[in-house]
Amino acid sequence: MSVGAIGYWCGEGEGSSCGYCGQDSTSISTGIYMSFISTDLYNKLIDRGWRRSGVYLYKPSMTETCCPQYTIRCDAVNFRASRSQKRVIQACKNFLRTSVPGTPPRIKTHGHTCNGQLQNSVRNTPEAGKENPPKTALAMSKSSKKRDFRRLRKLKKIAAEKGVNWETLTAADFNYKDSFRSLSDRLDDIRSSERFSARLVKISQKSDSEFQRTFATSHEMYRNYQVAVHNDEPEDCTAKKYHSFLCNPPFIEEDELGGYHYQYYIDGVLVAVGVLDMLPTCISSVYLLYNPNYSSLSLGTLAALFEIDLTLSFNKTYPSLKWYYMGFYVHQCKKVRYKAAFRPSYLLCPKNYTWWPIRPCQDMLDTGKYQEFDDRDEEVNISDEFLGNLTVLYNRSLCLYSVYKGIASEDIYESFIRTFVKLVGKENAEKICIFV
């Protein structure tokens, strides 16, 4: 028997505290502890709303949980940075060029000076992802402001160079030559600084690996991050917990695919680590932790931009790898609204597991926290014959579920297995062996 994963089916939990709304025992999900899983199979599971924390795979119970969590992905190949994202890149570039090495960043955002405080003007803006449209040249021509008069004069020159009607231009066209710069070119402005470096390190348990050599440093930053940002107790942020949570992916070794840490350094100091899964069709962001002293650099947004660029670089070798998965999007939670600003992005329908452009989905979610973007009825037939041909692990041996039913004095698993098939999909269920 050939299997792509072995796991222990936990079923639906009773409820835990919610990291999005802060309520107790209201976050409900279904889970599987995986002994191992192939990257291809996990890729297919995240396309059905699953996600992992260490070796534990979980899927939110969308109609029951307090904060429905929709899988969100960005088309990296067609990504274009927004104005606010370009400003984040420019702010980091300015910091590297003008600040004294070794000092915490001081960046003006919205008229206030930040000095290593926990501020992120892009991530925490309530309307992140819904930027105001740029002012049109026609509107400027009707304005009495001197600034608009000067801008209009410049736009008319640009229109003459382009050979277009000046009335069709907007404020976004001021830097029209710069607008054609690729994301990689913009990030090169940061990478070219001697003070900055980024390293992609594959997670490895070998003692002489680069990952193990940097483990102590990244664990220290993890502890500081959890305490400062999530109010965890320092004694709870042990090396063992860090390892099980972010350094122990359940994947089978498969060439370049698998778990990685993307490490960012400024002046030789580790300032952020993006935990990533490299999968056949995507790079999936698992977690981001950063040095709280550098939070004013909008490291969440900056790291996402680097990870999109990383996806593009792998796409040149692996054409099917074109998506950047950002985890879950929770519409009513302001702190994750920034994910909607990475476009073009799509949300996964929790009913039929099809992908839909995020803007119309946001309009639907404004009317209610749970929505089925694709409301077609597609019946899934799970026959007794199909169940009987599934592989299970019984008494440390692989066998068909039909064989197990003939051996066991009492079958208490059938309802669980039917739920399991429904949630992972029939095709995936045939490749997953579960404990009974």
Side-chain angles (χ1 to χ4, degrees):
M1 299 178 185
S2 176
V3 297
I6 293 181
Y8 177 80
W9 177 253
C10 302
E12 186 174 271
E14 295 180 355
S16 58
S17 61
C18 180
Y20 299 102
C21 68
Q23 297 184 74
D24 293 330
S25 305
T26 57
S27 180
I28 301 172
S29 63
T30 299
I32 313 174
Y33 278 104
M34 285 295 181
S35 295
F36 71 84
I37 186 171
S38 68
T39 53
D40 178 64
L41 186 51
Y42 179 65
N43 199 153
K44 292 175 180 176
L45 288 180
I46 63 174
D47 282 340
R48 293 184 65 89
W50 289 84
R51 187 159 170 78
R52 76 174 185 88
S53 174
V55 299
Y56 181 69
L57 274 59
Y58 64 98
K59 176 179 169 62
S61 300
M62 297 290 280
T63 58
E64 300 173 54
T65 191
C66 56
C67 297
Q69 300 152 55
Y70 299 85
T71 301
I72 180 171
R73 71 180 187 181
C74 174
D75 181 355
V77 174
N78 294 303
F79 172 78
R80 294 294 180 270
S82 67
R83 285 178 294 161
S84 61
Q85 290 159 357
K86 292 174 186 176
R87 285 196 294 267
V88 169
I89 296 174
Q90 185 63 40
C92 184
K93 175 185 173 182
N94 291 343
F95 167 72
L96 294 171
R97 187 181 71 248
T98 62
S99 67
V100 178
T103 59
R106 299 178 63 86
I107 300 176
K108 269 197 170 183
T109 57
H110 301 296
H112 300 283
T113 299
C114 306
N115 184 13
Q117 299 171 3
L118 296 181
Q119 299 186 27
N120 190 322
S121 60
V122 176
R123 292 186 63 163
N124 294 333
T125 302
E127 295 302 315
K130 294 187 177 181
E131 295 188 350
N132 294 325
K135 197 170 187 178
T136 64
L138 191 59
M140 292 178 199
S141 69
K142 299 176 182 179
S143 171
S144 60
K145 295 180 179 179
K146 291 183 179 180
R147 184 182 66 173
D148 283 337
F149 178 78
R150 291 192 299 270
R151 297 167 86 190
L152 179 61
R153 187 168 56 188
K154 182 177 179 181
L155 281 177
K156 287 183 177 180
K157 290 183 179 179
I158 292 173
E161 292 178 21
K162 285 186 172 183
V164 299
N165 186 344
W166 64 267
E167 294 181 354
T168 64
L169 301 183
T170 71
D173 293 296
F174 276 121
N175 298 316
Y176 73 97
K177 293 180 181 178
D178 179 71
S179 67
F180 292 105
R181 293 185 69 200
S182 68
L183 174 63
S184 182
D185 286 344
R186 295 180 188 279
L187 293 175
D188 280 344
D189 291 343
I190 296 175
R191 284 187 283 244
S192 62
S193 172
E194 294 181 354
R195 298 176 58 189
F196 177 87
S197 64
R199 306 174 193 168
L200 184 64
V201 180
K202 188 161 189 179
I203 296 175
S204 172
Q205 308 311 323
K206 297 178 180 179
S207 59
D208 60 344
S209 65
E210 175 68 14
F211 176 77
Q212 290 298 330
R213 286 195 292 270
T214 59
F215 178 84
T217 304
S218 62
H219 168 243
E220 181 182 2
M221 189 177 68
Y222 163 79
R223 183 177 61 245
N224 295 336
Y225 170 80
Q226 293 295 127
V227 171
V229 178
H230 296 290
N231 300 315
D232 288 359
E233 295 297 329
E235 56 269 23
D236 294 334
C237 305
T238 63
K240 182 178 180 180
K241 184 174 181 179
Y242 172 57
H243 180 271
S244 64
F245 177 32
L246 298 172
C247 309
N248 187 33
F251 303 125
I252 304 167
E253 290 289 332
E254 301 175 51
D255 298 326
E256 290 188 284
L257 301 179
Y260 286 83
H261 278 195
Y262 204 2
Q263 302 173 342
Y264 305 88
Y265 293 84
I266 293 178
D267 301 324
V269 176
L270 183 66
V271 298
V273 173
V275 184
L276 308 174
D277 288 337
M278 200 84 66
L279 306 174
T281 68
C282 68
I283 288 179
S284 174
S285 174
V286 178
Y287 202 72
L288 176 77
L289 50 137
Y290 56 80
N291 185 327
N293 292 329
Y294 289 80
S295 61
S296 60
L297 289 178
S298 299
L299 291 171
T301 296
L302 190 64
L305 293 170
F306 271 97
E307 289 163 9
I308 290 172
D309 186 56
L310 180 68
T311 306
L312 287 170
S313 67
F314 273 90
N315 174 258
K316 296 173 182 177
T317 306
Y318 306 100
S320 63
L321 201 161
K322 59 168 290 189
W323 299 99
Y324 172 61
Y325 282 62
M326 296 177 279
F328 289 134
Y329 174 80
V330 181
H331 189 64
Q332 68 269 36
C333 180
K334 293 180 181 179
K335 68 181 181 182
V336 296
R337 283 277 188 100
Y338 78 98
K339 295 180 181 181
F342 294 88
R343 300 206 171 143
S345 287
Y346 302 83
L347 294 186
L348 182 69
C349 174
K351 181 181 180 181
N352 290 325
Y353 306 111
T354 50
W355 294 97
W356 296 84
I358 193 166
R359 181 56 69 87
C361 293
Q362 287 179 306
D363 294 337
M364 293 177 67
L365 291 168
D366 283 338
T367 66
K369 63 182 181 180
Y370 175 74
Q371 297 291 335
E372 295 171 351
F373 313 125
D374 181 357
D375 59 1
R376 293 173 297 174
D377 291 322
E378 297 184 3
E379 185 176 350
V380 179
N381 179 33
I382 306 173
S383 65
D384 290 341
E385 181 182 1
F386 178 84
L387 287 182
N389 287 325
L390 295 179
T391 306
V392 297
L393 186 65
Y394 176 63
N395 281 346
R396 299 184 180 181
S397 299
L398 297 178
C399 68
L400 295 179
Y401 180 60
S402 57
V403 174
Y404 162 76
K405 291 182 68 174
I407 298 173
S409 58
E410 181 182 6
D411 180 17
I412 60 173
Y413 294 103
E414 183 168 338
S415 63
F416 293 162
I417 291 179
R418 286 189 181 276
T419 302
F420 157 74
V421 174
K422 181 180 178 181
L423 294 181
V424 304
K426 293 177 69 174
E427 179 184 350
N428 299 325
E430 292 177 314
K431 301 174 184 177
I432 301 175
C433 173
I434 60 174
F435 289 86
V436 294

